[in-house]
Amino acid sequence: MEDNNSTCGPDFDFGQLRRFPDIEAANLFAHDATDELILNEAAAALARTGSGPGNGVVVVVGDRYGALTLAAATLHGLRGLRVHQDGLSGERALAANAARLDLAGAYTSGPLDGSLFAGARVVLWQLPRSLEEVAEVAELISAHADPDVQIFAGGRIKHMTVAMNTVLSRHFSSVTAGRAWRKSRPLFVSVPLKEGPASSFPRCEFHEELGLWLCAHGATFGGTKVDVGTRFLLEYIPAMRQDTETAIDLGAGNGTIASALAKARPGLHISATDQSAAAVASTLATAKANGLQDQIEVIRDDALSSFPAGSAGLIVLNPPFHVGATVHAGIALKLFAAAARVLAPGGELWCVYNRHLDYKQVLSKIVGPTRVEGRNSKFTVTVSTRVAGPAAETD
Ligand SMILES: C[S@@+](CC[C@H](N)C(=O)[O-])C[C@H]1O[C@@H](n2cnc3c(N)ncnc32)[C@H](O)[C@@H]1O
């Protein structure tokens, strides 16, 4: 596709989409050239699936904020689209955009499993950067979709590698790269091999030094590894507040923190929460693999939105500092504010972050008096204590 080709822009106004409730900022957008490229390349196949309610053979994976789903529904009159998005804020943004465009009934959101792809004829896929995530989706499509399924995948060229083609080729006999357009490239994937087990996820790995199994679905931060910052934070478990029966692992990922806390403190009940569907499923798998499922409750939620204010005695957090591919501090600040709201007076927020980030001031301002508990060559560990009333800016 050439740069000067027409796009579906004139027929679907991508500018009307919002990222809300995800972070909005001048340098963050609700759609990208990859969305337009995928839709253009898939146009003929989408048109062939026919329109009208309940056609149900088109699946959308990895839609950021609804651009793929809502443009496909609008441009081709499609209904019954099946959609999986890993992040809850993306799912909520799609719902909000759909409601505004009167398209709430055009699609259903679902988990990443075989039923998502059952009988699928066309798949639109914003490729993730993680090869593990590519592998998990590819396995499921190959095992469950129609044998004639056509996958129109795409991504930003800078985030794509030949290794992706290799992973896809394990599950499909036809994997072809298309022409780049505005720094995005399409991949056309078809002829599922339908070999092997339906899914090899979650994958689990035993970590001798922690005495814990860690399990991960493809889209989970860090996979089955122990994050280096988290490893440092875990050294401080003995110093964390003792006189509380409940704790929150905020942004649980593969469940390392929740499981380490549960193992160290058998009396503690832990709510492990993450906005990522893969993280939530991984944390649950990790808890079960370690026999800790009675101590750990797993909740998919965006920044503690379903947790009552002033209800927690201890929150432990290793915050993300990337939003997708964009470095943006907003997400960490959002999680600090969430922790401040949910902590009870006297409650503690324990945090680990890259040393160069220097979040101490901001934690003091948002949460309460903040102390640096530890520092190594790469990371800082802090504890912030919630005070009654507005947070004080102190040491
Ligand atoms: C740096 S990872 C830490 C994961 C895990 N705690 C560990 O130590 O390996 C940050 C986690 O925060 C999650 N996260 C990002 N935004 C979030 C949000 N708005 N609400 C809840 N969790 C979020 C990510 O999905 C990711 O799993």
Side-chain angles (χ1 to χ4, degrees), residues 57 82 117-123 140-151 172 190-192 194:
V57 293
R82 284 178 255 156
F117 298 109
R121 305 272 303 277
V122 177
V123 177
L140 286 166
I141 301 176
S142 177
H144 298 277
D146 187 280
D148 291 328
V149 67
Q150 286 180 283
I151 302 171
F172 297 88
S190 57
V191 196
K194 297 204 169 284

Side-chain angles (χ1 to χ4, degrees), residues 86 89 220-222 225-227 230 249-257 273-276 279 301-304 317-321 331 334-335:
D86 183 61
S89 50
T220 311
F221 169 87
K225 302 292 173 215
V226 184
D227 176 69
T230 296
D249 175 0
L250 174 53
N254 60 17
T256 309
I257 295 173
T273 176
D274 203 297
Q275 68 131 2
S276 152
D301 191 10
D302 180 8
L304 302 176
L317 168 65
N318 174 354
F321 63 97
I331 187 67
K334 177 173 162 176
L335 296 182

Side-chain angles (χ1 to χ4, degrees), residues 83-115:
V83 182
H84 172 75
Q85 295 160 283
D86 183 61
L88 186 58
S89 50
E91 205 176 291
R92 288 180 174 165
L94 164 58
N97 284 320
R100 245 181 309 111
L101 302 183
D102 208 13
L103 285 169
Y107 74 96
T108 51
S109 281
L112 183 66
D113 60 18
S115 67

